[in-house]
Amino acid sequence: MVIDRCQLLNYRRSFLGALLALAAAMCLPARLAAGPQSNELLPLSQVHPGMPGYAYTIFEGDQIEKFDLEVIGVLENFLGPKQAIILVQLKGPKVEHTGVVAGMSGSPVYLDGKLAGALSLKLGIFTKEAIAGVTPIADMLNPPLQSSSAQADVQQFSLPAESNSRTGLPFGSSLERIETPLVFSGFQPAAIQQFSNQLQAYGFVAAQGGTAAARPEDAHLVPGDMAGMVLVQGDASINSACTVTAVQADRVYLCGHPLMNLGNVAIPMARSRVVTTLSSNLASTKIVNVGGAIGTITGDHLTAVTGKLGAAPAMIPLDLTLLVPGDDSSKGAVREKKLHFELINHPKFTPLLVAITTFNGLTQNSLYGEGTTLHLSGEIRLQGHAPVQIENTFAPGDTLSPDGLPIAATMQNVFTRLFVNTFEPAKVDRIALRVESVPGRKSFIIESAWLEKGEAAPGETLRVRVLLRPYRGAARVEETTVRVPEQVARGTMLRILVSDADLLKRADKPGSTHRALESRA
């Protein structure tokens, strides 16, 4: 059989083309092949009960999976004036097994092949049917305006009686926001537990996870992928994670509900990758690794979280140095460990993040021992101001609470006072903390206090003596002075409060270590 040279060349080209196409198909991520294709939007006015539809989310790996759903009805003015919710029932083996999963919020919902909104609410707990609420896409692309001080005080919404009867749902049922996993990497469970109440107040569910190396394709988001806020990064990290609903040029829309309802913000945005989905009758959740930073979260509003692909905003560096005495064979030696973190700069959340991060660093590196005291020092560098110096000493207590908790509470209080000052916004450049374990339990109790005399003239200086009893030591008397204000009218009864500095602001609470003395001017 004779084959023409041109024909043979065409065969070779065709075969080579087929090989290249096969290689491209094998290299093409499965998530893109399965991902949503339609960019058309479905107005809420065209949504009606009984409409079939589908949604996209990730249950494992990078595979975007499709599952079916059916519209139950539309709840008008549900979240507020002109803020409707589409009620749907999820269908399919996986979603009927897992129910509505924490981290699924933002999953794009399609009706008639058009983007109708994002999963954002779930119906109660222990329910036998996977019923969810959908935020209409128009409300996500144009979230209602709100101030940056708004807070999501109400996270649970009761269904109206009329909608109960219309949908066949039991009376008293309620729709709640789908929980957003707050992924902790490098944190001890005990450290997270100490702050669980504060975290739950923001609608987060704490989950342990990991970090993944940044990839070039991290910023190539499609609907159904996962992304979220970067709250802490470095030697430990805290990140939120929810599902991407839509991507328009460099704009990203996700969640379908607020994360912390902070309004307009500038917080780093990172890619999240699902390891697996944990099914639970109480609360199913996605277990995720956090990838590289891909841009900025720009808005955290009632109906959506919005972001912009590109450079991430600057964060606050926090350097934590831990000093522990060496063992008996190296007397005088000190073991030093340095930890580095970066935190978001936000008045409502930074104080809590400083407390959690500091406390976790202390619990992972045991500084306390029998008869030791922790000495805290450091500084907070502010733009346009001298550094704020920090110094305090913490002796171990006799209660069952962790010994490092007072240091974390102190740092949270310091940053709260910085951010709520009434003069100007606090712009933090850097935080440097140093915690040293000092031998001996250096704590004292104020047993009594007295004045040298019971009367004094305005402007006169009074001597005050205080009886202190150290831990397992002999009592001793310390002396100080206090000046009577010159503007005090004669005959006025004055009260002098003797207290340690840390408890002075709480001196009127039961159990405070202080003594009140009276003197007449």
Side-chain angles (χ1 to χ4, degrees), residues 475-488:
R476 69 172 188 256
V477 176
E478 296 287 341
E479 185 175 296
T480 186
T481 60
V482 60
R483 182 178 175 83
V484 180
E486 295 182 357
Q487 65 271 25
V488 173

Side-chain angles (χ1 to χ4, degrees), residues 214-480:
R215 303 181 190 176
E217 67 271 19
D218 277 346
H220 300 159
L221 293 176
V222 298
D225 279 334
M226 293 197 70
M229 290 182 178
V230 178
L231 303 180
V232 176
Q233 64 183 15
D235 289 326
S237 63
I238 305 176
N239 304 267
S240 66
C242 57
T243 304
V244 175
T245 306
V247 181
Q248 297 181 349
D250 63 347
R251 307 297 300 181
V252 181
Y253 301 87
L254 56 162
C255 294
H257 61 62
L259 289 176
M260 295 175 285
N261 215 16
L262 299 177
N264 296 328
V265 293
I267 297 175
M269 176 172 61
R271 178 70 175 271
S272 300
R273 300 187 179 277
V274 182
V275 178
T276 188
T277 297
L278 176 65
S279 178
S280 167
N281 288 331
L282 176 63
S284 297
T285 186
K286 295 183 180 183
I287 308 298
V288 304
N289 283 330
V290 178
I294 57 176
T296 302
I297 296 292
T298 57
D300 181 18
H301 300 285
L302 178 65
T303 56
V305 174
T306 57
K308 184 177 182 180
L309 297 172
M315 303 179 76
I316 302 174
L318 189 159
D319 293 301
L320 177 61
T321 302
L322 306 174
L323 301 172
V324 183
D327 53 30
D328 294 337
S329 62
S330 55
K331 292 184 178 180
V334 175
R335 291 185 290 115
E336 180 180 279
K337 183 169 185 178
K338 293 186 176 182
L339 301 173
H340 177 76
F341 312 95
E342 292 182 345
L343 292 71
I344 64 168
N345 191 349
H346 193 277
K348 289 186 179 296
F349 217 60
T350 299
L352 176 59
L353 295 177
V354 171
I356 295 176
T357 305
T358 303
F359 180 70
N360 184 67
L362 296 175
T363 56
Q364 285 189 335
N365 301 273
S366 181
L367 300 179
Y368 265 126
E370 178 64 26
T372 60
T373 298
L374 292 185
H375 180 71
L376 169 68
S377 60
E379 66 177 17
I380 304 170
R381 297 181 185 177
L382 303 174
Q383 294 182 19
H385 296 277
V388 176
Q389 300 297 326
I390 299 172
E391 187 169 6
N392 208 337
T393 301
F394 303 86
D398 296 324
T399 64
L400 295 179
S401 62
D403 293 325
L405 195 58
I407 294 181
T410 296
M411 293 309 305
Q412 185 171 0
N413 290 335
V414 167
F415 274 87
T416 298
R417 290 197 295 269
L418 275 177
F419 282 114
V420 301
N421 81 84
T422 58
F423 302 101
E424 62 182 77
K427 298 179 181 178
V428 183
D429 278 337
R430 179 175 290 274
I431 309 165
L433 300 178
R434 177 186 176 97
V435 181
E436 182 178 3
S437 183
V438 181
R441 182 168 173 173
K442 303 184 182 301
S443 62
F444 298 83
I445 296 175
I446 299 176
E447 288 200 341
S448 63
W450 61 94
L451 294 168
E452 64 173 342
K453 59 181 181 178
E455 293 186 1
E460 184 178 351
T461 298
L462 289 173
R463 286 192 296 177
V464 181
R465 293 184 176 89
V466 183
L467 179 62
L468 299 176
R469 182 172 297 278
Y471 177 75
R472 293 179 180 175
R476 69 172 188 256
V477 176
E478 296 287 341
E479 185 175 296
T480 186

